[in-house]
Amino acid sequence: MSVGFIGAGRMAQALGRGFISKGIVKPQKMVASDTSQSVLDVMKKQGIGTTTCNAEVVERSDLVVLAVKPHLVADVLQEISDFLTKEKMFVSIAAGVPLEVLESNLLLGTRVLRAMPNTACLVHAGATVVAPGKSIHSGDTSLVQTLFQTVGVCYVGTEDQLDAVTGLSGSGPAYAFTTIESLADGGVKMGLPRDMATKLAAQTLFGAAKMVLESGKHPGQLKDEVCSPGGTTITAMHALERGGFRGTIIDAVEASALKARKMGELELQKQEGRTLEIEQEVRMTKKMAEKN
């Protein structure tokens, strides 16, 4: 299988490294396009072919990963439309761009999936959910899942779950980074050196996450096991509850998910507008032909 990346930014670079390190796709079977020579140079160092032509990526690839900014997706798909065949499979990692928009800009029956990864893919600890489109073949979803598992965990979901995924794991690293920074600030306030405080905070979150994943216990149970009667941790938990810690985190996930939903709605509106323009052009062309 040959894989192409339209957009060679950090996520595409991470995926390329993952595919190579796990032996899923050989570097000589991959190609990436971008307008930035500096990011193409990163791909080139991995042994991946590079180009500035998106159409070349499509022609040389069985599976194409759309790794461009959401507002560029429709233009890119229009640019490569003359080079599409139904044999190609497309995976979009552009946040907020619905499958309907992707499928309407590709050949009818094209195999399309959406994926929502997060930045932890850069260190092979990512969390991704993939959602299949209407025309996928048997085995397509499991293939894409296997590809994303080279950079972390990957689950199969439905498109209507992706906004929530965006709010939780897509934006989630930022919540964790802020928590680490806040813990470190607390340590510094109480007398720890900054470097030590930051490393202790990061390791603490890493260890806690590992305990959840490996123990199979509910996070609440693990929390209770740390809270000794009348101890320091239950006192600290009281302070967190008084400050609305849980509610704030829930609000953050909700806000991010609603923003993602709004982005999807706007993309659909744009698509409807483009469809209307095309229909109007067709009607005008017919009228001109009838007059002549």
Short mmCIF file of all heavy atoms in Angstrom, two decimals, residues 21 23-24 28 78 101 144 158 174 197 222 227 256 283:
data_model
loop_
_atom_site.label_atom_id
_atom_site.label_comp_id
_atom_site.label_asym_id
_atom_site.label_seq_id
_atom_site.Cartn_x
_atom_site.Cartn_y
_atom_site.Cartn_z
N SER A 21 8.17 3.16 11.85
CA SER A 21 8.71 2.47 13.03
C SER A 21 8.02 1.13 13.27
O SER A 21 8.65 0.19 13.76
CB SER A 21 8.57 3.35 14.28
OG SER A 21 7.20 3.54 14.62
N GLY A 23 6.74 -0.67 10.82
CA GLY A 23 6.87 -1.48 9.62
C GLY A 23 5.59 -1.63 8.83
O GLY A 23 5.45 -2.55 8.01
N ILE A 24 4.62 -0.72 9.05
CA ILE A 24 3.33 -0.81 8.36
C ILE A 24 3.45 -0.34 6.90
O ILE A 24 2.92 -0.96 5.98
CB ILE A 24 2.27 0.06 9.08
CG1 ILE A 24 2.08 -0.43 10.52
CG2 ILE A 24 0.95 0.04 8.33
CD1 ILE A 24 1.46 -1.78 10.64
N GLN A 28 9.69 4.57 1.26
CA GLN A 28 9.68 4.77 -0.19
C GLN A 28 8.29 4.61 -0.80
O GLN A 28 8.09 4.92 -1.97
CB GLN A 28 10.67 3.83 -0.88
CG GLN A 28 10.44 2.36 -0.63
CD GLN A 28 11.27 1.84 0.52
OE1 GLN A 28 11.51 2.56 1.49
NE2 GLN A 28 11.71 0.58 0.42
N GLN A 78 -11.04 20.39 -4.56
CA GLN A 78 -11.36 20.90 -5.90
C GLN A 78 -10.12 20.85 -6.79
O GLN A 78 -10.21 20.51 -7.98
CB GLN A 78 -11.89 22.33 -5.81
CG GLN A 78 -12.41 22.88 -7.14
CD GLN A 78 -13.04 24.25 -6.98
OE1 GLN A 78 -12.90 24.89 -5.95
NE2 GLN A 78 -13.75 24.70 -8.00
N VAL A 101 -19.35 16.94 3.55
CA VAL A 101 -18.59 17.91 2.76
C VAL A 101 -17.47 17.20 1.99
O VAL A 101 -17.24 17.46 0.80
CB VAL A 101 -17.99 19.00 3.67
CG1 VAL A 101 -17.01 19.89 2.89
CG2 VAL A 101 -19.10 19.85 4.27
N VAL A 144 -7.37 1.54 8.63
CA VAL A 144 -7.07 2.89 9.11
C VAL A 144 -6.82 2.86 10.62
O VAL A 144 -5.93 3.55 11.13
CB VAL A 144 -8.21 3.86 8.75
CG1 VAL A 144 -8.00 5.23 9.40
CG2 VAL A 144 -8.30 4.01 7.24
N THR A 158 -18.58 6.81 15.56
CA THR A 158 -19.46 7.36 14.53
C THR A 158 -19.21 8.86 14.42
O THR A 158 -18.68 9.49 15.34
CB THR A 158 -20.93 7.11 14.88
OG1 THR A 158 -21.22 7.72 16.16
CG2 THR A 158 -21.24 5.63 14.95
N ALA A 174 -4.25 20.12 26.07
CA ALA A 174 -4.11 21.49 26.58
C ALA A 174 -4.58 21.59 28.03
O ALA A 174 -3.98 22.30 28.85
CB ALA A 174 -4.90 22.47 25.71
N ALA A 197 9.70 20.89 40.28
CA ALA A 197 8.25 20.94 40.41
C ALA A 197 7.57 20.53 39.11
O ALA A 197 6.58 19.77 39.11
CB ALA A 197 7.81 22.34 40.81
N LEU A 222 -9.81 4.94 42.44
CA LEU A 222 -8.39 5.22 42.65
C LEU A 222 -8.19 6.48 43.48
O LEU A 222 -7.30 6.53 44.34
CB LEU A 222 -7.69 5.36 41.29
CG LEU A 222 -7.57 4.07 40.47
CD1 LEU A 222 -7.10 4.37 39.06
CD2 LEU A 222 -6.62 3.09 41.14
N CYS A 227 -7.14 8.99 49.28
CA CYS A 227 -7.67 9.91 50.31
C CYS A 227 -7.81 9.20 51.66
O CYS A 227 -8.84 8.58 51.95
CB CYS A 227 -9.01 10.47 49.86
SG CYS A 227 -8.91 11.56 48.43
N SER A 256 -15.47 23.09 23.93
CA SER A 256 -14.71 22.66 22.77
C SER A 256 -15.57 21.85 21.81
O SER A 256 -15.51 22.03 20.59
CB SER A 256 -13.50 21.83 23.22
OG SER A 256 -12.78 21.34 22.11
N ARG A 283 -27.98 26.49 -14.80
CA ARG A 283 -29.22 27.07 -15.34
C ARG A 283 -28.91 28.20 -16.32
O ARG A 283 -29.53 28.31 -17.38
CB ARG A 283 -30.11 27.56 -14.21
CG ARG A 283 -30.82 26.46 -13.44
CD ARG A 283 -31.97 27.00 -12.62
NE ARG A 283 -31.48 27.85 -11.53
CZ ARG A 283 -31.21 27.42 -10.31
NH1 ARG A 283 -31.35 26.14 -10.03
NH2 ARG A 283 -30.78 28.25 -9.39
#
